[in-house]
Structures are given as C-alpha cells and as structure tokens.
Amino acid sequence: MKADPSAQLHLLDVQELDSRADTLRHKLRSIPEARELEELTRRRREVDDAARDHRIEVADLTAEQKRADADVEQVKARRTRDQGMVDGGGISDPKALERMLGELQSLERRITSLEDTEIEVMERLETAEEALAQREAELAEMDARAAELRAAIESSAGTLQTELEQVEAERYAVALDVPDDLRALYEKLRANKGGTGAAALRRRECGGCRLTLNASDLAIIARKPADEVVRCEECDRILVRTEESGL
C-alpha cells in the first residue's frame, strides 16, 4: 500500500486522538461516584429489608399492646364493679360475700399478671421502634448521599462527554487528511489490536509492541520508498516512519 508520508503522519494524529477518546469513554464507564452509588444501592436494599421487618414487628407489637391494654381495662372494670358491690353492702349472704372477696383477690392477681405482660410488650415495642428509627435514619442518610453521588455523576459525565465530543470532532477533521484505503486498514488493525492500529517508529522501536528493531530490519525499512506503508514484523501494526526513527 502506498500513502503520502504526510498522510501517514496524520494517521499518528488520528491514533492519538482515538486513544484519548478511548480513555474518555473508559472514564465515563468507570466514574468513581458511579461505583460508589452501585455499592450504596446494594447496601440500601439490605437496610430497607431490615426496616421493613422492623415495621412489621412494630405493627404486630402495637396490636398486641392494644389487646393487652384492653385485657387490663376489662379486668379492672370487673374488679371495680365487684368492689362496688362489696363496698355498697349489696351482698348480705356471708358465703356469697366470701366468694366475692375471693374473686376480688383472683382479679388482683390477674391484673398484676396482665400488667406484667403489658409492660413486657411495651418494652419490646420500644426496642422495635428504636431499631426502626435507626434503620430509617440510615435510609435517609443513604438517600442524601445517593442524591449527592447522582449530581456528581451528572457533572462528571457532562464534563467528560463534552471533552469526548471535542476530541471526536477534532479526530474527524484530522482523519480527512488520511486516504480511505489507509484509514480502512488502520480501523481494521485498531479493532484487532486493542485500540492501536498505527504506531510511530522512534529510536528503532515500534510504539505499538515496543519491539526494538535490529540493524538488518532497519536497513530493509530504510530502503523502502517514503510513500510505502510499512508494517511491524512483530505486531503487524502500521509502522510510521518519523525523524526520530533512527534509520
């Protein structure tokens, strides 16, 4: 393949711009805040699951406390009624009075037992509410951080995207000075060679694979016409001769 030496040098400019564009695209895909947001989202799901469990527990204990309160009030109401009958002298039969007094003692023990249960449920409810409040505080903190990260990602991505568009525009303009056949070969090699399709020969070294050419290989290249497109014997990339080639 033949190509004007100046066009081959322009190809090196295209390669440099393509490498810059590749770097910018990689940065866009791996913005640090994006990785942090991904991890934060994962941890938030775990905390949200825990908070949901605590909400269920709080709801269950709240219902249990209402039942305990109702049981206590019901037994207290019965005690008040029975005590009123005793205090009012409404029971004249000694045996009936004895049974009533025994019933009052039983009600007192029942109230004490129910109040103990009531206190135990209240304590469990308080613990569950504290745990829920802690999880909800964690969620609020995570949501605030997530908002900060999204704003940072938007800002970073916007800056990087603008820079990428500038590089792509410059690359388009420079590539116009490269013949179609040479550009097509470059694109094919670039796709197959990890993004580098052309490299400069500087100080007897291929800029693509870093192979140092021996005197015999350099002599062969030196004898080739200036417009002949040279390929690296090691990596097969387009090897562009420069003033620093050492020929």
Side-chain angles (χ1 to χ4, degrees), residues 26-84:
H26 175 73
K27 287 182 178 179
L28 277 169
R29 292 192 300 267
S30 57
I31 294 173
E33 289 84 358
R35 292 196 296 270
E36 183 181 347
L37 180 60
E38 182 180 358
E39 173 61 20
L40 181 65
T41 301
R42 184 193 64 79
R43 289 192 289 111
R44 191 194 185 286
R45 285 195 296 267
E46 295 177 353
V47 175
D48 193 40
D49 288 343
R52 185 188 62 242
D53 293 342
H54 288 312
R55 291 189 191 99
I56 294 173
E57 183 181 12
V58 167
D60 290 345
L61 288 171
T62 299
E64 186 176 347
Q65 183 186 18
K66 289 180 179 178
R67 290 193 298 270
D69 291 344
D71 289 343
V72 170
E73 292 304 316
Q74 183 180 17
V75 177
K76 283 184 175 180
R78 183 176 176 182
R79 181 190 62 182
T80 300
R81 183 198 65 189
D82 291 352
Q83 188 66 54

Side-chain angles (χ1 to χ4, degrees), residues 186-196 237:
Y186 162 77
E187 295 290 0
K188 179 180 178 180
L189 291 171
R190 173 171 149 75
N192 295 330
K193 300 291 182 179
T196 302
R237 292 180 174 91

